[in-house]
């Protein structure tokens, strides 16, 4: 495919401006360009065709099944898009919130922020929520900064955070950026936390424990309450990585399990579009003890209106304005649209779908763990790898079926892992088509290994050198 610059023809225009009907002003020469900007010269139709064709090469949840484990790539209802496009939200200037004089003009937005925070607090069993963090990892950073601020304020700074080996890579990265030393807690053979190993590293210098539940093996931690209790005994706070909330939403609440602070991934559980690096939103929820340290300003109801206030001992701003406000608008619409009963059904269907896929595939691909999976399942292509076809080859072969690849080689603790998260929005017919494709690929391993190692063959590009492709972007194929 040609680049839009290659389609450029001198003098071609997509737009013509009306004749000037105001006096001409002159710009200071030092602010003016010396030569014209190098922009493609193309007609309106060239632009429309170019970008429409490019978009058709995209692999997205609106066009294909996308069972990427650990990512909750669920369908984003168009209703939420319509609400976010309302001019009252889309046209609002963020600086209206910077000056008290203009607050009356953005009361609707402030109300939405306040109510979204209240809904999330209810779902998480948390005392307060802040919408500021703009990604899950950013929520983790905010949460670990809150934990640090809490211990400092009590006059007992602590320097260590405990994180299981099954954690998402962002957990140790966030804790390290917040200034903590990270100590890894091993899993047992069942894929959950090794309780004795946990007790062995739980010392007085532990500031916090970060857990994902269900963990990134797709398994509910059976000792989660005990782990929270043990942590509290040494005055360590407990952090819940809420990226897997899709598995438990409406069934149980992190606050009730014993967590002091958590983040939500609005772009996962609450169905706002994601991928390609954003935009996202990773609001954090906190129990009472951490409320005084929350980022500010906070939206609070005062005398029949919404006002802004700074918490007493705030860690400061963590993002501009109120974070990615338009993501909050979509999440708010999604929550109100589904209601409490609908949100409960989300987790029921997400768990059912993952277990259905697991049941259909587990005799051909190895099941990684003996326990019942939650919203995603982990299989292993170790038997296929012995015959020369690796998890990566299977993932690539799926593309030729018009299916997005599942996550492969994560979790790191499972050899040749294939992690499948179908989400609740997929029909049985789609799940069956996916399972059929996985089983067909497995049948071809013995006789057709070479072709599988060359897959995909029907996509615009075949196998790329993935490291080079990420560093030297080339859209011209
Ligand atoms: C996605 C994910 C994160 C990070 O969230 P981002 O919004 O991508 O920063 C953290 N933990 C787990 C378990 C995740 O799946």
């Amino acid at each position: 495919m040609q680049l839009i610059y290659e389609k450029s023809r001198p003098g071609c225009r997509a737009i013509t401006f009306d004749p000037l009907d105001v006096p001409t002003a002159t710009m200071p020469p030092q602010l003016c360009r010396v030569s014209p900007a190098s922009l493609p010269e193309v007609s309106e139709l060239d632009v429309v065709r170019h970008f429409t064709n490019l978009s058709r090469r995209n692999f997205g949840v609106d066009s294909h099944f996308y069972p990427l484990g650990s990512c909750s790539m669920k369908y984003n209802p168009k209703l939420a898009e319509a609400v976010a496009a309302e001019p009252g939200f889309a046209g609002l200037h963020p600086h209206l919130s910077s000056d008290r004089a203009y607050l009356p003009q953005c009361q609707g937005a402030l109300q939405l922020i306040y109510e979204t925070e209240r809904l999330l607090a209810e779902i998480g069993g948390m005392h307060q929520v802040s919408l500021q963090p703009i990604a899950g990892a950013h929520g983790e950073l905010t949460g670990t900064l809150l934990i640090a601020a809490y211990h400092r304020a009590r006059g007992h700074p602590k320097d260590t955070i405990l994180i299981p080996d099954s954690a998402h890579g962002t957990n140790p990265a966030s804790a390290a950026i917040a200034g903590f030393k990270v100590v890894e807690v091993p899993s047992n053979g069942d894929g959950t936390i090794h309780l004795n190993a946990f007790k062995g590293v739980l010392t007085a210098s532990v500031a916090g424990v970060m857990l994902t539940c269900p963990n990134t093996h797709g398994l509910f931690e059976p000792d989660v309450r005990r782990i929270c209790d043990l942590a509290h005994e040494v005055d360590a706070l407990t952090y819940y990585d809420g990226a897997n909330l899709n598995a438990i939403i409406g069934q149980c609440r992190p606050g009730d399990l014993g967590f002091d602070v958590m983040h939500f991934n609005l772009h996962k559980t609450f169905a706002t579009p994601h991928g390609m690096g954003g935009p996202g939103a990773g609001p954090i929820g906190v129990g009472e003890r951490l409320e005084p340290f929350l980022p500010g300003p906070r939206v609070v109801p005062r005398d029949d209106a919404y006002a802004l206030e700074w918490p007493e001992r705030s860690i400061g701003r963590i993002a501009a304005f109120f974070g990615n406000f338009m993501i909050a608008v979509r999440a708010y619409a999604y929550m109100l649209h589904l209601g409490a009963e609908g949100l409960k059904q989300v987790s029921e269907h997400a768990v059912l779908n993952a277990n259905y896929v697991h049941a259909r595939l587990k005799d051909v691909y190895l099941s990684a763990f003996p326990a019942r999976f939650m919203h995603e399942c982990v299989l292993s292509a170790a038997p296929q790898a012995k015959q020369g076809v690796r998890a990566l080859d299977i993932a690539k072969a799926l593309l030729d079926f018009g299916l997005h690849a599942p996550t492969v080689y994560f979790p790191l603790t499972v050899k040749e892992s294939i992690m499948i998260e179908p989400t609740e929005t997929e029909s049985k017919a789609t799940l069956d088509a996916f399972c059929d494709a996985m089983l067909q690929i497995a049948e071809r391993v013995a006789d057709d290994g070479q072709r599988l190692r060359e897959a995909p063959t029907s996509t615009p590009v075949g196998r790329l050198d993935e490291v080079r492709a990420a560093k030297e972007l080339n859209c011209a194929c």
Side-chain angles (χ1 to χ4, degrees):
M1 192 169 155
Q2 269 186 315
L3 298 180
I4 192 137
Y5 282 92
E6 291 163 351
K7 291 179 182 162
S8 177
R9 280 164 292 145
C12 227
R13 288 268 175 282
I15 186 168
T16 45
F17 292 105
D18 284 341
L20 205 61
D21 59 356
V22 290
T24 317
T26 44
M27 295 273 285
Q30 71 273 22
L31 297 181
C32 295
R33 282 183 181 283
V34 195
S35 53
S38 150
L39 296 173
E41 295 179 72
V42 282
S43 71
E44 178 174 331
L45 186 53
D46 288 338
V47 175
V48 169
R49 289 208 177 124
H50 182 75
F51 287 103
T52 304
N53 285 327
L54 258 189
S55 75
R56 286 192 183 164
R57 295 185 168 210
N58 242 348
F59 216 105
V61 82
D62 280 359
S63 59
H64 298 88
F65 179 48
Y66 210 131
L68 198 64
S70 198
C71 290
S72 298
M73 297 301 266
K74 56 167 92 172
Y75 171 68
N76 312 130
K78 297 300 167 255
L79 170 98
E81 295 300 315
V83 174
E86 285 290 334
F89 293 127
L92 206 58
H93 198 289
H95 268 304
L96 283 177
S97 65
S98 307
D99 190 325
R100 190 175 300 205
Y102 297 126
L103 285 188
Q105 294 182 38
C106 57
Q107 284 292 311
L110 297 181
Q111 180 179 354
L112 185 137
I113 290 168
Y114 178 78
E115 289 183 6
T116 305
E117 290 183 349
R118 292 320 309 156
L119 288 172
L120 292 173
E122 171 71 26
I123 288 168
M126 293 281 143
H127 182 62
Q128 292 292 350
V129 165
S130 164
L131 285 184
Q132 260 189 44
I134 54 175
H138 199 211
E140 294 164 19
L141 174 64
T142 312
T144 40
L145 288 173
L146 291 177
I147 292 175
Y150 169 81
H151 290 297
R152 256 200 322 271
R154 288 161 56 89
H156 302 296
K158 295 173 166 226
D159 65 357
T160 304
I161 296 249
L162 301 184
I163 303 180
D165 61 0
S166 63
H168 195 267
T170 50
N171 288 193
S174 303
I177 293 175
F180 288 106
K181 215 166 64 192
V182 173
V183 172
E184 190 175 277
V185 184
S187 304
N188 55 32
D190 292 345
T192 56
I193 291 181
H194 196 299
L195 194 60
N196 280 336
F198 172 74
K199 288 180 188 161
V201 287
L202 187 63
T203 62
S205 62
V206 173
V209 179
M210 290 178 93
L211 284 192
T212 312
C213 186
N215 63 25
T216 53
H217 293 151
L219 304 172
F220 196 89
E221 288 288 351
D223 296 318
V224 63
R225 294 187 82 144
R226 179 104 183 87
I227 289 168
C228 289
D229 288 345
L230 288 169
H232 289 145
E233 279 173 23
V234 299
D235 193 29
L237 297 185
T238 46
Y239 184 101
Y240 179 83
D241 174 337
N244 291 343
L245 198 69
N246 220 44
I248 62 160
I249 186 167
Q251 313 293 331
C252 67
R253 312 191 305 168
D256 300 337
L257 293 175
F259 288 94
D260 301 297
V261 45
M262 69 175 291
H263 79 259
F264 302 81
N265 291 65
L266 296 191
H267 46 292
K268 291 179 180 171
T269 319
F270 297 91
T272 62
H274 74 295
M276 307 292 286
I284 49 161
V286 296
E288 254 167 291
R289 284 193 283 186
L290 291 178
E291 183 182 0
F293 306 99
L294 278 174
R298 312 235 345 113
V299 178
V300 288
R302 287 281 175 270
D303 310 326
D304 296 336
Y306 291 92
L308 300 180
E309 271 178 14
W310 278 86
E312 271 167 73
R313 313 177 84 160
S314 173
I315 58 165
R317 264 192 190 282
I318 195 84
F321 305 107
F322 298 94
N324 277 330
F325 173 69
M326 297 308 269
I327 298 291
V329 175
R330 290 176 172 90
Y332 180 72
Y334 180 74
M335 286 189 276
L336 291 191
H337 179 54
L338 288 188
E341 203 42 48
L343 289 172
K344 210 168 150 194
Q345 283 175 12
V346 162
S347 50
E348 285 165 6
H349 288 272
V351 172
L352 180 63
N353 283 359
N355 281 285
Y356 179 74
V357 169
H358 177 252
R360 278 209 58 195
L361 300 181
K362 72 178 179 355
D363 295 333
V364 173
Y365 297 94
L366 275 188
S367 184
F369 304 107
R372 171 78 62 84
F373 285 100
M374 295 289 288
H375 66 308
E376 56 192 351
C377 62
V378 184
L379 299 164
S380 164
Q384 289 74 23
K386 273 199 201 117
Q387 295 177 267
V389 173
R390 303 192 54 199
L392 181 73
D393 303 316
I394 294 162
K396 297 288 183 196
L398 281 169
L399 300 176
D400 284 332
F401 287 86
L403 298 160
H404 194 282
T407 295
V408 288
Y409 303 109
F410 183 87
L412 305 173
T413 43
V414 176
K415 257 195 218 151
E416 296 294 326
S417 55
I418 300 183
M419 184 182 211
I420 303 163
E421 181 180 5
T423 82
E424 73 283 4
T425 48
E426 299 301 329
S427 65
K428 180 167 178 295
T430 303
L431 300 182
D432 279 332
F434 171 76
C435 294
D436 291 345
M438 287 288 286
L439 296 174
Q440 260 187 55
I441 292 168
E443 269 172 26
R444 284 167 46 198
V445 164
D447 301 332
D448 215 4
Q450 189 51 34
R451 289 257 309 275
L452 291 174
R453 282 187 293 275
E454 284 162 12
T457 53
S458 62
T459 47
V461 291
R463 293 267 178 130
L464 297 173
D465 173 338
E466 293 184 3
V467 176
R468 221 175 117 215
K471 303 275 177 213
E472 294 171 28
L473 190 63
N474 175 5
C475 302
C477 32

